[in-house]
Amino acid sequence: MGKIIFTSIISIFAFISFFFNGVLITSNLPSELNAGDEITIEVRIKKGSISGFARFQQEWPVGFTVVEKVSANGEFRFADQKVTLQWMQLPYDDEIVIRYNLQVAPAISGTFKIGGKFSYIDNNQRATTELEPITLTIKAGDLSATGTDFGTTTSFKYGDIYLREIDCIRQKPSLNENNEIVVNLLVNKGDKEQFGKIQEQVPRGYTASSVISKNSIFTFKSSIVKFLWMTLPPEPQFVVSYKLVPINEIPDQAFIINGTFSYAENERTKVIDILERNIDISSFDTDKLVAEVKDIHTTEDKTITDVVVTETETQQDLADVTQQEQTEDITKTQEVITDDTKTIEETEEKIEDKVIDVVTEDLAYEETKIIEEIKTVVKPRITNVPEPDAGVTYRVQLAAGHKLVNEKYFKKLNIKDHIQIEIHQGWHKYTVGSFPVYKQARNYRIYIWDSTPIKDAFVSAYNNGQRITVQEALMIANQEWYK
C-alpha cells in the first residue's frame, strides 16, 4: 500500500513539474527505413516558460549521417555520431522546430534504439526532458546485384564473393589473441593509378592503428580511419588492414563499421561503399581471382557516386596528417602562453563551459554508471572466430549482445562445446555446432534446452558462411522442416 501511495506521489509530482514548465519533445522519426534512404527528421520542443541556456543532444550509431537544415538559431554540430544543438539564449517562441537530413548508409541493417535529451536551466536548477526512444529498423539494401550485375563488362570472383571492376570489400572483423579487433580490406583498383582513399567510421571507445598500410598515409581522428594515397599501389588488387583496441573496457554498444573507397577517374573523384563479406582476405591469393566477362546493359550503379576533384579534399587529408605530426609542438607552445596573453575567444569559452558544466554534471554521472553485478570477472579473450563453412550449414545460437563476454561464462551454464563468435548487424552472436542437416541442429537445440539454463536457444542458418534465414537454407538444401 505504501509503495502505491509513494508511486502516486511521484506521478503527481512529475505531472505538476511538466505542467509548470511545459517542456515536451516529439519527433517524426519513423520506425522503419531502408538502407540508403535519406529523409528529413523534424524535432519539436515545446519549451513553455523556460529561457536562457539550453542544449539538445541525440546519438546515432555508425552508418548514420546528419546534415543541418533548420537549427532555430542554435549552434548545430554533428561530431562523433552525436547531434548537438546549443543555445546561449533560447528563442522567444513557445515551440522550437529543428530539422535535419538523416542519411542511412547503403551497407547497414539492423535494429537501433534512438532517443534524445533536452537540457536546460529551470529556476536556477538543471533539468532534462527526454525524447521518448524509438526503435528504428533498417532493412538491408538489395546487394545481390553485386554478385550478378555490375553494369560493366568485367567482374571478378574470389571464392564465393564477386567484385566489381573497381571495388573494396571488408572482411568481417575478427578478434585476435590480444582482444584486438582486426579489420582487413581488399581493394580491387584495376588500372587506376592516381589518388585513392579508404575512409572508415568505427565505433567510439576504440583507438586504431595501422597493420598493413601499402605505403599509404594512415591517420585516425575522431573515430575516423583513413588510408590516403597520392599514387595508388601498382598491384591491381591489394589488402590493407588496421586494428581496433578498446580504450578502456570493450564498449557496450552496437559494433558497426561504415566505410567508403574513393579514387580518381577523368578528373573526378568516384566514391563507392565498402561492403562487408564473410571471407578470409588476410592471406589474399591473386591466383584465386577469376575474371568474368559479361555482355550486359544496366543503369548506373547507385552504389557509386562521383564529385568534381578539388584540391581542398586532398589538402584537408594532408592537413590532418600534418596536424597529427605537429600536435606535440602545438601543445608545448600552448603551455608557455601566459594568462595576460589569452585571447577573448578563450575567455568566452571558459564562461560558456561553466554554464555547460552546470547542465552536464549529472549527464556525465549517468553515462559513467556501470552495473557491476553483470560484469564478468575475467576480461574476455575470445579467439574462436567461426571459419566459413562450405554450402548450407546450421548452428545453435545461445546468446547475442553488444558487449563481449568470456567463454568461461558459457561453461558456467553447462555449455561444454566450442563457442563460436561472430559480429553480425552490430551484435556479438555466440553459436555452437555445425550441422549439415536442419533436423540435427533442431535436436541439438532441444538438448541445450533440456541440459542448460538457456531456454531461448534457436537454430541459425548459413550459406557458405553467410548468415541467412532457416527458411532460405531449407529451400536451398531441399530439406524438410521439423518442429
Side-chain angles (χ1 to χ4, degrees), residues 208-264:
S209 59
S210 172
V211 178
I212 303 174
S213 65
K214 294 298 291 185
N215 296 321
S216 67
I217 301 171
F218 177 87
T219 61
F220 176 67
K221 179 182 178 183
S222 301
S223 297
I224 300 292
V225 169
K226 288 184 184 179
F227 294 88
L228 177 67
W229 295 269
M230 301 312 296
T231 302
L232 283 164
E235 305 95 327
Q237 299 86 24
F238 59 89
V239 174
V240 296
S241 66
Y242 61 93
K243 63 182 180 180
L244 299 173
V245 181
I247 296 174
N248 295 309
E249 291 188 345
I250 297 175
D252 186 7
Q253 61 182 347
F255 188 89
I256 299 175
I257 299 177
N258 184 50
T260 57
F261 173 61
S262 308
Y263 61 96

Short mmCIF file of all heavy atoms in Angstrom, two decimals, residues 208-264:
data_model
loop_
_atom_site.label_atom_id
_atom_site.label_comp_id
_atom_site.label_asym_id
_atom_site.label_seq_id
_atom_site.Cartn_x
_atom_site.Cartn_y
_atom_site.Cartn_z
N ALA A 208 42.67 3.24 -33.07
CA ALA A 208 43.02 2.45 -34.25
C ALA A 208 44.49 2.66 -34.61
O ALA A 208 45.04 3.75 -34.43
CB ALA A 208 42.15 2.84 -35.44
N SER A 209 45.12 1.60 -35.12
CA SER A 209 46.49 1.68 -35.62
C SER A 209 46.62 0.81 -36.85
O SER A 209 45.91 -0.19 -37.00
CB SER A 209 47.49 1.25 -34.53
OG SER A 209 47.23 -0.08 -34.12
N SER A 210 47.53 1.21 -37.72
CA SER A 210 47.71 0.50 -38.98
C SER A 210 48.46 -0.81 -38.78
O SER A 210 49.39 -0.90 -37.99
CB SER A 210 48.48 1.39 -39.96
OG SER A 210 48.82 0.68 -41.13
N VAL A 211 48.04 -1.85 -39.51
CA VAL A 211 48.74 -3.14 -39.53
C VAL A 211 49.43 -3.31 -40.88
O VAL A 211 50.62 -3.57 -40.95
CB VAL A 211 47.76 -4.31 -39.27
CG1 VAL A 211 48.50 -5.64 -39.36
CG2 VAL A 211 47.09 -4.16 -37.91
N ILE A 212 48.67 -3.16 -41.96
CA ILE A 212 49.23 -3.16 -43.32
C ILE A 212 48.74 -1.89 -44.00
O ILE A 212 47.53 -1.71 -44.17
CB ILE A 212 48.78 -4.41 -44.12
CG1 ILE A 212 49.17 -5.69 -43.40
CG2 ILE A 212 49.36 -4.38 -45.52
CD1 ILE A 212 48.61 -6.94 -44.06
N SER A 213 49.64 -1.03 -44.43
CA SER A 213 49.23 0.26 -44.99
C SER A 213 49.48 0.40 -46.49
O SER A 213 48.95 1.32 -47.11
CB SER A 213 49.97 1.40 -44.27
OG SER A 213 51.36 1.32 -44.54
N LYS A 214 50.30 -0.46 -47.08
CA LYS A 214 50.63 -0.40 -48.52
C LYS A 214 51.08 1.01 -48.93
O LYS A 214 50.60 1.61 -49.88
CB LYS A 214 49.43 -0.83 -49.37
CG LYS A 214 49.03 -2.28 -49.20
CD LYS A 214 50.13 -3.23 -49.61
CE LYS A 214 50.38 -3.23 -51.11
NZ LYS A 214 51.36 -4.24 -51.51
N ASN A 215 52.04 1.54 -48.16
CA ASN A 215 52.66 2.84 -48.45
C ASN A 215 51.66 4.00 -48.45
O ASN A 215 51.87 5.02 -49.12
CB ASN A 215 53.40 2.80 -49.79
CG ASN A 215 54.56 1.84 -49.78
OD1 ASN A 215 55.29 1.72 -48.79
ND2 ASN A 215 54.73 1.11 -50.87
N SER A 216 50.58 3.86 -47.71
CA SER A 216 49.62 4.96 -47.61
C SER A 216 49.97 5.84 -46.41
O SER A 216 50.79 5.48 -45.56
CB SER A 216 48.20 4.40 -47.43
OG SER A 216 48.08 3.74 -46.17
N ILE A 217 49.31 7.00 -46.36
CA ILE A 217 49.37 7.86 -45.18
C ILE A 217 48.19 7.44 -44.30
O ILE A 217 47.03 7.59 -44.69
CB ILE A 217 49.27 9.34 -45.54
CG1 ILE A 217 50.40 9.74 -46.48
CG2 ILE A 217 49.29 10.21 -44.29
CD1 ILE A 217 50.27 11.13 -47.05
N PHE A 218 48.47 6.91 -43.12
CA PHE A 218 47.42 6.41 -42.23
C PHE A 218 47.16 7.43 -41.14
O PHE A 218 48.10 7.96 -40.52
CB PHE A 218 47.84 5.08 -41.60
CG PHE A 218 46.82 4.54 -40.61
CD1 PHE A 218 45.77 3.75 -41.05
CD2 PHE A 218 46.91 4.85 -39.26
CE1 PHE A 218 44.84 3.24 -40.16
CE2 PHE A 218 45.98 4.36 -38.36
CZ PHE A 218 44.94 3.55 -38.81
N THR A 219 45.88 7.74 -40.91
CA THR A 219 45.51 8.64 -39.82
C THR A 219 44.29 8.08 -39.09
O THR A 219 43.49 7.34 -39.67
CB THR A 219 45.17 10.07 -40.32
OG1 THR A 219 44.06 10.01 -41.21
CG2 THR A 219 46.35 10.69 -41.02
N PHE A 220 44.18 8.47 -37.84
CA PHE A 220 43.00 8.13 -37.04
C PHE A 220 42.64 9.33 -36.18
O PHE A 220 43.45 9.80 -35.39
CB PHE A 220 43.26 6.91 -36.16
CG PHE A 220 42.10 6.58 -35.25
CD1 PHE A 220 40.91 6.13 -35.77
CD2 PHE A 220 42.22 6.73 -33.87
CE1 PHE A 220 39.84 5.84 -34.94
CE2 PHE A 220 41.15 6.43 -33.04
CZ PHE A 220 39.96 5.98 -33.58
N LYS A 221 41.42 9.83 -36.39
CA LYS A 221 40.99 11.02 -35.67
C LYS A 221 39.47 11.03 -35.57
O LYS A 221 38.78 10.79 -36.56
CB LYS A 221 41.46 12.28 -36.40
CG LYS A 221 41.06 13.59 -35.75
CD LYS A 221 41.55 14.76 -36.59
CE LYS A 221 41.13 16.10 -35.99
NZ LYS A 221 41.55 17.23 -36.85
N SER A 222 38.96 11.26 -34.36
CA SER A 222 37.50 11.37 -34.13
C SER A 222 36.76 10.16 -34.68
O SER A 222 35.75 10.29 -35.39
CB SER A 222 36.95 12.66 -34.77
OG SER A 222 37.58 13.79 -34.23
N SER A 223 37.28 8.97 -34.38
CA SER A 223 36.67 7.69 -34.79
C SER A 223 36.67 7.48 -36.30
O SER A 223 35.91 6.67 -36.81
CB SER A 223 35.22 7.58 -34.25
OG SER A 223 35.21 7.59 -32.85
N ILE A 224 37.52 8.20 -37.03
CA ILE A 224 37.63 8.05 -38.48
C ILE A 224 39.01 7.48 -38.82
O ILE A 224 40.04 8.06 -38.46
CB ILE A 224 37.44 9.39 -39.21
CG1 ILE A 224 36.06 9.98 -38.92
CG2 ILE A 224 37.63 9.20 -40.72
CD1 ILE A 224 34.91 9.19 -39.51
N VAL A 225 39.01 6.33 -39.51
CA VAL A 225 40.24 5.71 -40.00
C VAL A 225 40.42 6.11 -41.46
O VAL A 225 39.46 6.04 -42.25
CB VAL A 225 40.17 4.17 -39.89
CG1 VAL A 225 41.32 3.52 -40.63
CG2 VAL A 225 40.17 3.75 -38.43
N LYS A 226 41.64 6.53 -41.84
CA LYS A 226 41.90 6.89 -43.23
C LYS A 226 43.20 6.26 -43.72
O LYS A 226 44.21 6.27 -43.01
CB LYS A 226 42.01 8.41 -43.40
CG LYS A 226 40.70 9.17 -43.28
CD LYS A 226 40.92 10.66 -43.55
CE LYS A 226 39.64 11.45 -43.35
NZ LYS A 226 39.83 12.90 -43.60
N PHE A 227 43.16 5.71 -44.93
CA PHE A 227 44.34 5.34 -45.70
C PHE A 227 44.35 6.25 -46.93
O PHE A 227 43.38 6.23 -47.71
CB PHE A 227 44.29 3.88 -46.16
CG PHE A 227 44.35 2.87 -45.05
CD1 PHE A 227 43.20 2.44 -44.41
CD2 PHE A 227 45.58 2.32 -44.67
CE1 PHE A 227 43.26 1.49 -43.41
CE2 PHE A 227 45.64 1.37 -43.65
CZ PHE A 227 44.47 0.95 -43.02
N LEU A 228 45.40 7.03 -47.11
CA LEU A 228 45.44 8.01 -48.20
C LEU A 228 46.65 7.77 -49.10
O LEU A 228 47.77 7.64 -48.63
CB LEU A 228 45.51 9.44 -47.61
CG LEU A 228 45.61 10.59 -48.61
CD1 LEU A 228 44.33 10.71 -49.43
CD2 LEU A 228 45.90 11.90 -47.89
N TRP A 229 46.38 7.67 -50.42
CA TRP A 229 47.44 7.52 -51.40
C TRP A 229 47.39 8.68 -52.40
O TRP A 229 46.31 8.96 -52.95
CB TRP A 229 47.28 6.23 -52.21
CG TRP A 229 47.41 4.95 -51.45
CD1 TRP A 229 48.54 4.22 -51.24
CD2 TRP A 229 46.36 4.21 -50.81
NE1 TRP A 229 48.27 3.08 -50.52
CE2 TRP A 229 46.93 3.04 -50.24
CE3 TRP A 229 44.98 4.42 -50.68
CZ2 TRP A 229 46.19 2.12 -49.55
CZ3 TRP A 229 44.24 3.50 -49.99
CH2 TRP A 229 44.84 2.36 -49.42
N MET A 230 48.51 9.34 -52.64
CA MET A 230 48.59 10.28 -53.75
C MET A 230 48.77 9.51 -55.05
O MET A 230 48.32 9.91 -56.11
CB MET A 230 49.74 11.26 -53.55
CG MET A 230 49.62 12.09 -52.27
SD MET A 230 47.98 12.81 -52.03
CE MET A 230 47.92 13.92 -53.43
N THR A 231 49.42 8.33 -54.95
CA THR A 231 49.53 7.39 -56.07
C THR A 231 49.23 6.00 -55.52
O THR A 231 49.88 5.54 -54.59
CB THR A 231 50.94 7.40 -56.69
OG1 THR A 231 51.24 8.74 -57.13
CG2 THR A 231 51.01 6.45 -57.86
N LEU A 232 48.23 5.33 -56.10
CA LEU A 232 47.83 4.03 -55.60
C LEU A 232 48.92 2.98 -55.82
O LEU A 232 49.76 3.14 -56.71
CB LEU A 232 46.55 3.58 -56.31
CG LEU A 232 45.25 4.24 -55.82
CD1 LEU A 232 44.13 4.03 -56.84
CD2 LEU A 232 44.84 3.69 -54.46
N PRO A 233 48.94 1.92 -55.03
CA PRO A 233 49.93 0.85 -55.23
C PRO A 233 49.83 0.28 -56.65
O PRO A 233 48.76 0.33 -57.27
CB PRO A 233 49.53 -0.20 -54.18
CG PRO A 233 48.80 0.57 -53.13
CD PRO A 233 48.09 1.66 -53.85
N PRO A 234 50.93 -0.28 -57.17
CA PRO A 234 50.93 -0.76 -58.56
C PRO A 234 50.08 -2.02 -58.78
O PRO A 234 49.61 -2.26 -59.89
CB PRO A 234 52.41 -1.05 -58.84
CG PRO A 234 53.02 -1.28 -57.48
CD PRO A 234 52.25 -0.39 -56.55
N GLU A 235 49.86 -2.83 -57.73
CA GLU A 235 49.11 -4.07 -57.91
C GLU A 235 47.64 -3.77 -58.20
O GLU A 235 47.05 -2.88 -57.60
CB GLU A 235 49.20 -4.94 -56.65
CG GLU A 235 50.61 -5.26 -56.20
CD GLU A 235 51.10 -4.29 -55.14
OE1 GLU A 235 50.70 -3.10 -55.18
OE2 GLU A 235 51.85 -4.73 -54.26
N PRO A 236 47.03 -4.54 -59.12
CA PRO A 236 45.59 -4.35 -59.39
C PRO A 236 44.72 -4.63 -58.17
O PRO A 236 43.68 -4.01 -57.98
CB PRO A 236 45.29 -5.35 -60.51
CG PRO A 236 46.62 -5.66 -61.11
CD PRO A 236 47.62 -5.55 -60.00
N GLN A 237 45.16 -5.57 -57.32
CA GLN A 237 44.45 -5.89 -56.08
C GLN A 237 45.44 -5.90 -54.92
O GLN A 237 46.58 -6.36 -55.08
CB GLN A 237 43.76 -7.27 -56.13
CG GLN A 237 42.70 -7.41 -57.22
CD GLN A 237 43.29 -7.83 -58.56
OE1 GLN A 237 44.36 -8.44 -58.61
NE2 GLN A 237 42.61 -7.50 -59.65
N PHE A 238 45.04 -5.37 -53.80
CA PHE A 238 45.92 -5.37 -52.62
C PHE A 238 45.06 -5.33 -51.36
O PHE A 238 43.87 -5.01 -51.40
CB PHE A 238 46.89 -4.20 -52.65
CG PHE A 238 46.25 -2.83 -52.69
CD1 PHE A 238 45.92 -2.16 -51.52
CD2 PHE A 238 45.97 -2.21 -53.90
CE1 PHE A 238 45.32 -0.91 -51.54
CE2 PHE A 238 45.37 -0.97 -53.94
CZ PHE A 238 45.05 -0.30 -52.76
N VAL A 239 45.68 -5.68 -50.24
CA VAL A 239 45.00 -5.73 -48.94
C VAL A 239 45.64 -4.74 -47.98
O VAL A 239 46.88 -4.65 -47.90
CB VAL A 239 45.06 -7.16 -48.34
CG1 VAL A 239 44.47 -7.18 -46.92
CG2 VAL A 239 44.31 -8.15 -49.23
N VAL A 240 44.82 -3.98 -47.28
CA VAL A 240 45.29 -3.16 -46.17
C VAL A 240 44.52 -3.60 -44.92
O VAL A 240 43.44 -4.19 -45.02
CB VAL A 240 45.08 -1.65 -46.41
CG1 VAL A 240 45.91 -1.18 -47.59
CG2 VAL A 240 43.61 -1.32 -46.64
N SER A 241 45.06 -3.31 -43.76
CA SER A 241 44.37 -3.70 -42.53
C SER A 241 44.74 -2.77 -41.39
O SER A 241 45.79 -2.11 -41.42
CB SER A 241 44.70 -5.15 -42.16
OG SER A 241 46.06 -5.30 -41.81
N TYR A 242 43.87 -2.73 -40.41
CA TYR A 242 44.13 -1.97 -39.19
C TYR A 242 43.52 -2.73 -38.02
O TYR A 242 42.73 -3.67 -38.21
CB TYR A 242 43.57 -0.55 -39.29
CG TYR A 242 42.08 -0.45 -39.48
CD1 TYR A 242 41.20 -0.32 -38.40
CD2 TYR A 242 41.51 -0.47 -40.76
CE1 TYR A 242 39.84 -0.22 -38.58
CE2 TYR A 242 40.15 -0.35 -40.95
CZ TYR A 242 39.31 -0.22 -39.87
OH TYR A 242 37.96 -0.12 -40.05
N LYS A 243 43.88 -2.34 -36.82
CA LYS A 243 43.32 -2.99 -35.64
C LYS A 243 42.72 -1.95 -34.71
O LYS A 243 43.17 -0.81 -34.64
CB LYS A 243 44.38 -3.81 -34.91
CG LYS A 243 45.54 -3.03 -34.35
CD LYS A 243 46.55 -3.98 -33.69
CE LYS A 243 47.74 -3.19 -33.11
NZ LYS A 243 48.72 -4.09 -32.48
N LEU A 244 41.67 -2.36 -34.02
CA LEU A 244 40.98 -1.51 -33.06
C LEU A 244 41.21 -2.06 -31.66
O LEU A 244 41.01 -3.26 -31.42
CB LEU A 244 39.48 -1.48 -33.36
CG LEU A 244 39.07 -0.92 -34.73
CD1 LEU A 244 37.58 -1.11 -34.95
CD2 LEU A 244 39.45 0.54 -34.85
N VAL A 245 41.62 -1.19 -30.76
CA VAL A 245 41.91 -1.59 -29.38
C VAL A 245 41.01 -0.76 -28.45
O VAL A 245 40.97 0.46 -28.56
CB VAL A 245 43.39 -1.35 -29.02
CG1 VAL A 245 43.67 -1.78 -27.59
CG2 VAL A 245 44.30 -2.07 -30.00
N PRO A 246 40.26 -1.41 -27.56
CA PRO A 246 39.40 -0.66 -26.63
C PRO A 246 40.24 0.29 -25.78
O PRO A 246 41.30 -0.07 -25.28
CB PRO A 246 38.75 -1.74 -25.77
CG PRO A 246 38.88 -3.00 -26.57
CD PRO A 246 40.14 -2.87 -27.35
N ILE A 247 39.76 1.51 -25.63
CA ILE A 247 40.48 2.50 -24.82
C ILE A 247 40.43 2.10 -23.35
O ILE A 247 41.42 2.15 -22.63
CB ILE A 247 39.89 3.90 -25.03
CG1 ILE A 247 40.09 4.34 -26.50
CG2 ILE A 247 40.53 4.91 -24.08
CD1 ILE A 247 39.41 5.64 -26.84
N ASN A 248 39.27 1.68 -22.89
CA ASN A 248 39.12 1.17 -21.53
C ASN A 248 38.62 -0.27 -21.63
O ASN A 248 39.32 -1.13 -22.12
CB ASN A 248 38.16 2.06 -20.73
CG ASN A 248 38.73 3.45 -20.53
OD1 ASN A 248 39.86 3.60 -20.08
ND2 ASN A 248 37.96 4.47 -20.86
N GLU A 249 37.40 -0.53 -21.18
CA GLU A 249 36.80 -1.83 -21.40
C GLU A 249 36.17 -1.86 -22.78
O GLU A 249 35.97 -0.83 -23.41
CB GLU A 249 35.75 -2.11 -20.32
CG GLU A 249 36.34 -2.31 -18.93
CD GLU A 249 35.27 -2.77 -17.95
OE1 GLU A 249 34.09 -2.64 -18.28
OE2 GLU A 249 35.64 -3.24 -16.86
N ILE A 250 35.84 -3.06 -23.25
CA ILE A 250 35.17 -3.18 -24.53
C ILE A 250 33.82 -2.47 -24.44
O ILE A 250 33.01 -2.79 -23.58
CB ILE A 250 34.97 -4.66 -24.92
CG1 ILE A 250 36.34 -5.33 -25.09
CG2 ILE A 250 34.15 -4.79 -26.20
CD1 ILE A 250 36.28 -6.81 -25.35
N PRO A 251 33.58 -1.46 -25.28
CA PRO A 251 32.34 -0.68 -25.17
C PRO A 251 31.10 -1.54 -25.37
O PRO A 251 31.08 -2.43 -26.21
CB PRO A 251 32.48 0.36 -26.30
CG PRO A 251 33.95 0.42 -26.59
CD PRO A 251 34.47 -0.97 -26.34
N ASP A 252 30.07 -1.27 -24.57
CA ASP A 252 28.80 -1.98 -24.67
C ASP A 252 27.91 -1.22 -25.66
O ASP A 252 27.07 -0.42 -25.28
CB ASP A 252 28.14 -2.07 -23.31
CG ASP A 252 26.89 -2.93 -23.33
OD1 ASP A 252 26.64 -3.56 -24.39
OD2 ASP A 252 26.18 -2.98 -22.32
N GLN A 253 28.14 -1.46 -26.93
CA GLN A 253 27.41 -0.75 -27.98
C GLN A 253 27.40 -1.58 -29.25
O GLN A 253 28.14 -2.55 -29.37
CB GLN A 253 28.09 0.60 -28.27
CG GLN A 253 29.52 0.44 -28.77
CD GLN A 253 30.22 1.77 -29.02
OE1 GLN A 253 29.58 2.79 -29.06
NE2 GLN A 253 31.52 1.75 -29.18
N ALA A 254 26.54 -1.21 -30.16
CA ALA A 254 26.49 -1.89 -31.45
C ALA A 254 27.82 -1.69 -32.18
O ALA A 254 28.32 -0.58 -32.28
CB ALA A 254 25.35 -1.35 -32.29
N PHE A 255 28.40 -2.80 -32.66
CA PHE A 255 29.69 -2.73 -33.34
C PHE A 255 29.43 -2.67 -34.85
O PHE A 255 29.20 -3.69 -35.49
CB PHE A 255 30.58 -3.92 -32.99
CG PHE A 255 31.98 -3.79 -33.52
CD1 PHE A 255 32.95 -3.18 -32.75
CD2 PHE A 255 32.31 -4.25 -34.78
CE1 PHE A 255 34.24 -3.04 -33.25
CE2 PHE A 255 33.59 -4.12 -35.28
CZ PHE A 255 34.56 -3.51 -34.51
N ILE A 256 29.45 -1.47 -35.39
CA ILE A 256 29.18 -1.25 -36.81
C ILE A 256 30.29 -0.38 -37.40
O ILE A 256 30.67 0.64 -36.82
CB ILE A 256 27.83 -0.57 -37.04
CG1 ILE A 256 26.69 -1.43 -36.49
CG2 ILE A 256 27.60 -0.28 -38.51
CD1 ILE A 256 25.34 -0.77 -36.56
N ILE A 257 30.84 -0.81 -38.54
CA ILE A 257 31.82 -0.02 -39.27
C ILE A 257 31.19 0.38 -40.59
O ILE A 257 30.58 -0.44 -41.27
CB ILE A 257 33.12 -0.80 -39.51
CG1 ILE A 257 33.76 -1.20 -38.17
CG2 ILE A 257 34.11 0.01 -40.34
CD1 ILE A 257 35.01 -2.05 -38.31
N ASN A 258 31.35 1.63 -40.96
CA ASN A 258 30.80 2.13 -42.22
C ASN A 258 31.93 2.82 -42.97
O ASN A 258 32.63 3.68 -42.42
CB ASN A 258 29.66 3.12 -41.95
CG ASN A 258 29.00 3.59 -43.22
OD1 ASN A 258 28.62 2.78 -44.06
ND2 ASN A 258 28.86 4.88 -43.38
N GLY A 259 32.14 2.44 -44.25
CA GLY A 259 33.29 2.99 -44.96
C GLY A 259 33.06 3.20 -46.44
O GLY A 259 32.10 2.69 -47.03
N THR A 260 33.96 3.97 -47.06
CA THR A 260 33.94 4.23 -48.49
C THR A 260 35.35 4.15 -49.06
O THR A 260 36.34 4.35 -48.34
CB THR A 260 33.36 5.62 -48.82
OG1 THR A 260 34.14 6.63 -48.14
CG2 THR A 260 31.91 5.74 -48.40
N PHE A 261 35.43 3.85 -50.35
CA PHE A 261 36.69 3.89 -51.09
C PHE A 261 36.55 4.92 -52.20
O PHE A 261 35.61 4.89 -52.98
CB PHE A 261 37.01 2.51 -51.69
CG PHE A 261 38.21 2.52 -52.61
CD1 PHE A 261 39.47 2.87 -52.14
CD2 PHE A 261 38.08 2.17 -53.96
CE1 PHE A 261 40.57 2.88 -52.98
CE2 PHE A 261 39.18 2.17 -54.81
CZ PHE A 261 40.43 2.53 -54.31
N SER A 262 37.49 5.87 -52.25
CA SER A 262 37.47 6.95 -53.25
C SER A 262 38.66 6.80 -54.18
O SER A 262 39.76 6.43 -53.74
CB SER A 262 37.52 8.32 -52.56
OG SER A 262 36.52 8.44 -51.57
N TYR A 263 38.45 7.09 -55.45
CA TYR A 263 39.53 7.04 -56.43
C TYR A 263 39.28 8.07 -57.52
O TYR A 263 38.13 8.54 -57.71
CB TYR A 263 39.65 5.64 -57.04
CG TYR A 263 38.42 5.16 -57.78
CD1 TYR A 263 38.30 5.31 -59.16
CD2 TYR A 263 37.37 4.56 -57.09
CE1 TYR A 263 37.16 4.89 -59.84
CE2 TYR A 263 36.23 4.13 -57.75
CZ TYR A 263 36.13 4.29 -59.13
OH TYR A 263 35.00 3.87 -59.79
N ALA A 264 40.32 8.46 -58.22
CA ALA A 264 40.23 9.49 -59.26
C ALA A 264 40.02 8.84 -60.62
O ALA A 264 40.67 7.86 -60.96
CB ALA A 264 41.49 10.34 -59.27
#
